[in-house]
Amino acid sequence: WITRFCSLRGNEFFCEVDEDYIQDDFNLTGLNGLVPYYDYALDMVLDVEMPMEDSLTEEQQEIVESAAEMLYGLIHARYIVTNRGMHAMYEKYRTASFGRCPHVFCQGQPVLPVGLSDLPRNYTVNVFCPRCHGLFFPKSTRQANIDGAYFGTTFPHLYLMTHPDMIPAKPGQNYTPRVYGFKIHTSSLYYRNHEEGPLQIEHRSSRKSKSRQSRK
């Protein structure tokens, strides 16, 4: 079931969770209160054959299949913050299976999946860029419909903290809007809904550098 689920179109973000991890009850603590038909769903994920006397109606079977997907997703969010899970996700990150940052100056930096909540049915999954720290929607609409809780709020940040050698340098450039070659002044209405424009940032940094030089 796990291999088939992960190979479905739109499920490319998922890695295959080891069955021995799923069979350890400690790793599933608290999930029975979140997933309907929990025991049936767990048996489906682990490919356990159901006894004839426990056969379900067609409607119940559909509910169990949906519950199995939710259960696997929530287990997946826990698994990918383990060493084995991070290694499995690294292979996908290395090949840019999660996509690339759309920010021009990030130069195609591979991204990592992240959720905005650890509870299901709140937000869909987003992708996080380790270079600019931007948050974006996945490029594929199928992937964009995946529940963000199946990746959790922790994974990309813990992954980078655990593998600091994988942290890329910040973009070397920032885009500066221009009209006929001239920078737009920060007093312009163009920046009305922005707290500060690029010129203010430049002025502040130059003032800081001047004050440091005067102290010396």
Side-chain angles (χ1 to χ4, degrees), residues 152-215:
T153 58
T154 298
F155 166 67
H157 317 301
L158 183 62
Y159 176 83
L160 294 170
M161 290 169 66
T162 309
H163 303 86
D165 55 306
M166 299 293 294
I167 301 175
K170 280 186 176 183
Q173 294 174 267
N174 283 320
Y175 177 67
T176 302
R178 296 175 183 270
V179 174
Y180 297 121
F182 296 98
K183 294 180 181 179
I184 301 172
H185 197 273
T186 50
S187 61
S188 169
L189 289 175
Y190 181 87
Y191 290 116
R192 180 177 57 186
N193 294 327
H194 293 256
E195 291 183 4
E196 55 185 355
L199 285 177
Q200 285 181 327
I201 296 171
E202 289 174 13
H203 291 333
R204 286 181 184 177
S205 60
S206 63
R207 280 202 299 269
K208 286 180 182 177
S209 61
K210 287 178 182 177
S211 63
R212 285 173 187 160
Q213 289 172 2
S214 62
R215 287 173 192 168

Side-chain angles (χ1 to χ4, degrees), residues 7-200:
S7 65
L8 291 175
R9 189 177 176 187
N11 285 354
E12 293 85 358
F13 280 15
F14 290 96
C15 69
E16 292 192 24
V17 179
D18 292 339
E19 285 196 10
D20 58 345
Y21 180 87
I22 300 174
Q23 289 167 347
D24 187 338
D25 290 338
F26 177 78
N27 297 325
L28 312 184
T29 302
L31 295 184
N32 58 343
L34 295 173
V35 180
Y37 287 87
Y38 174 81
D39 291 329
Y40 288 104
L42 183 58
D43 285 347
M44 180 173 285
V45 169
L46 293 173
D47 289 318
V48 176
E49 289 191 16
M50 193 179 300
M52 288 297 294
E53 61 269 17
D54 290 340
S55 59
L56 303 171
T57 65
E58 188 174 332
E59 184 180 352
Q60 288 174 324
Q61 183 70 18
E62 289 179 4
I63 296 172
V64 170
E65 287 177 5
S66 178
E69 291 179 7
M70 178 191 285
L71 178 60
Y72 183 79
L74 295 174
I75 294 171
H76 182 269
R78 297 182 177 189
Y79 178 72
I80 59 177
V81 293
T82 66
N83 287 333
R84 283 186 296 173
M86 285 188 190
H87 179 72
M89 294 296 269
Y90 163 75
E91 292 301 322
K92 289 179 172 288
Y93 176 57
R94 185 176 60 82
T95 56
S97 297
F98 306 123
R100 297 181 183 275
C101 180
H103 195 293
V104 171
F105 297 125
C106 285
Q107 300 176 325
Q109 169 66 41
V111 293
L112 291 163
V114 66
L116 295 179
S117 173
D118 291 312
L119 296 175
R121 296 176 179 152
N122 283 322
Y123 301 97
T124 52
V125 69
N126 296 113
V127 290
F128 172 79
C129 175
R131 188 180 291 272
C132 69
H133 288 193
L135 205 61
F136 307 95
F137 292 114
K139 193 171 182 180
S140 163
T141 53
R142 288 176 181 268
Q143 293 163 345
N145 288 322
I146 299 172
D147 199 311
Y150 299 166
F151 301 89
T153 58
T154 298
F155 166 67
H157 317 301
L158 183 62
Y159 176 83
L160 294 170
M161 290 169 66
T162 309
H163 303 86
D165 55 306
M166 299 293 294
I167 301 175
K170 280 186 176 183
Q173 294 174 267
N174 283 320
Y175 177 67
T176 302
R178 296 175 183 270
V179 174
Y180 297 121
F182 296 98
K183 294 180 181 179
I184 301 172
H185 197 273
T186 50
S187 61
S188 169
L189 289 175
Y190 181 87
Y191 290 116
R192 180 177 57 186
N193 294 327
H194 293 256
E195 291 183 4
E196 55 185 355
L199 285 177
Q200 285 181 327

